[in-house]
Amino acid sequence: MSEMQRIPCVIMRGGTSKAMFLKANHLPQDTVLRDNMILQIFGSPDVRQIDGLGGADPLTSKLAIIGPSTHPAADIDYTFGQVSLTAPYIDYTGNCGNISSAVGPFAIDEGFVAAQTPTTTVRIHNTNTGRILVAQVPTENGRAKVKGDCKIDGVPGTGAKIMLDFSGTAGSATDKLLPTGNPIDTITTSKGPLDISIVDVSNPCVFIRAKDIGMTGKETPQQVNGNSALLALLEEVRAKATVMIGMADDVQSATEKSPAFPMIAFVAPAADYVDFTTGQTIDSSRVDFLSRMMFMQVLHKTYPGTGTACTGAAAKIPGTIVHEAIPHIDVIELVRIGHPAGIIDIEAAVEQGELVRAAFSRTARRIMEGYVFVNA
């Protein structure tokens, strides 16, 4: 054991994802040494991550580095990392909304933020984007509350309801709600011209119509991930959009150096579809539209938190592909997104071109705390 170094670590579920939570002061200041240590912790690169804590899935190969706030308007610093399974690489170009929901509880339980009964407001400085998001965390007896009656699709059971508001994250990567200035752009692809909408809230997202790529919007992860031609087209579109908004110099570097962000989704009007996790049919009356969002070149099994914020904003911007998919969008505030494993709701409002509300509920809990061992 003398050849090994032990690092304090907490594993937390946030929404429908799971991450290793590490404190900044427990990691090397040198970024190369830091990332090498983190890759060891996860067991990457290895598709099984057999020699580390990673769960061999993009949704469980996530990292949160927590430290005291360096922003005057925030309570805590939070850096998100998406750890690759196949390359010695950690993508720090964006944030994860699901993991963001666990940051508030972690900050309270670790003493970064004093608990207030019955709810503690935690202002989180996401260092990836330089933006601040606000978490409302139920608390009792000086700690984050875990038990509650909030049910989110894609997670068994219920938990305490955490509200996250991402309205302060507009223009996270490009400083613009609409990075190109247009609600719709047309790009040239190997399959011909294609309309896209690019919106930047929390993380930039690219939206296309499901029908334009021969899809229905009802597809399951197995149907999408087993279609190599579709995956190649979606990555081609995503990579070209990445270059359009200045997040990469060319399509090759977009795929290699910014594989997680922006994300891309294909959307369709509301329809009946089957929840792939339960086999139950979700009636079209329960959703406002359908969306399938990609993450790390595979279909997200549920729906990303940051993608939810961005999709809700896109729904409220006239002229976007998301806006046109919802006939009644101008008379509702709560936008109901039908995803592969159920439904996620978001309160969204855009006034005079400014995002004023992008809030949704999540649950989170601490799964394990202890030490992870790495080579000294």
Side-chain angles (χ1 to χ4, degrees), residues 148-159:
D149 58 7
C150 179
K151 175 74 174 76
I152 61 173
D153 290 339
V155 177
T158 62

Side-chain angles (χ1 to χ4, degrees), residues 243-257:
V243 176
M244 282 179 67
I245 62 176
M247 289 185 67
D249 294 330
D250 52 59
V251 292
Q252 181 177 348
S253 61
T255 297
E256 293 178 354
K257 299 301 182 183

Side-chain angles (χ1 to χ4, degrees), residues 205 207 289 291 293 303 306-316 322 337 346:
C205 292
F207 300 97
F289 71 108
S291 185
M293 186 165 279
Y303 212 74
T306 54
T308 298
C310 195
T311 303
K316 286 293 185 172
V322 182
I337 304 169
I346 177 165

Side-chain angles (χ1 to χ4, degrees), residues 214-253:
M215 297 291 109
T216 65
K218 302 179 183 181
E219 285 77 13
T220 66
Q222 295 91 331
Q223 290 172 321
V224 173
N225 297 337
N227 186 336
S228 59
L230 174 62
L231 293 178
L233 176 61
L234 290 169
E235 178 54 21
E236 178 189 354
V237 174
R238 192 198 72 84
K240 288 185 174 181
T242 306
V243 176
M244 282 179 67
I245 62 176
M247 289 185 67
D249 294 330
D250 52 59
V251 292
Q252 181 177 348
S253 61

Side-chain angles (χ1 to χ4, degrees), residues 89-107:
Y89 183 70
I90 303 169
D91 191 346
Y92 293 107
T93 56
N95 185 20
C96 173
N98 276 294
I99 296 307
S100 296
S101 68
V103 173
F106 181 88

Side-chain angles (χ1 to χ4, degrees), residues 43 51 68 73-74 127-128 146 176 189 196 263 276 282 287 309 329 335 364:
D51 203 33
T127 64
N128 307 75
V146 177
K176 296 179 181 179
T189 75
I196 64 174
M263 294 180 282
F276 89 99
I282 296 176
V287 300
I329 186 60
V335 180

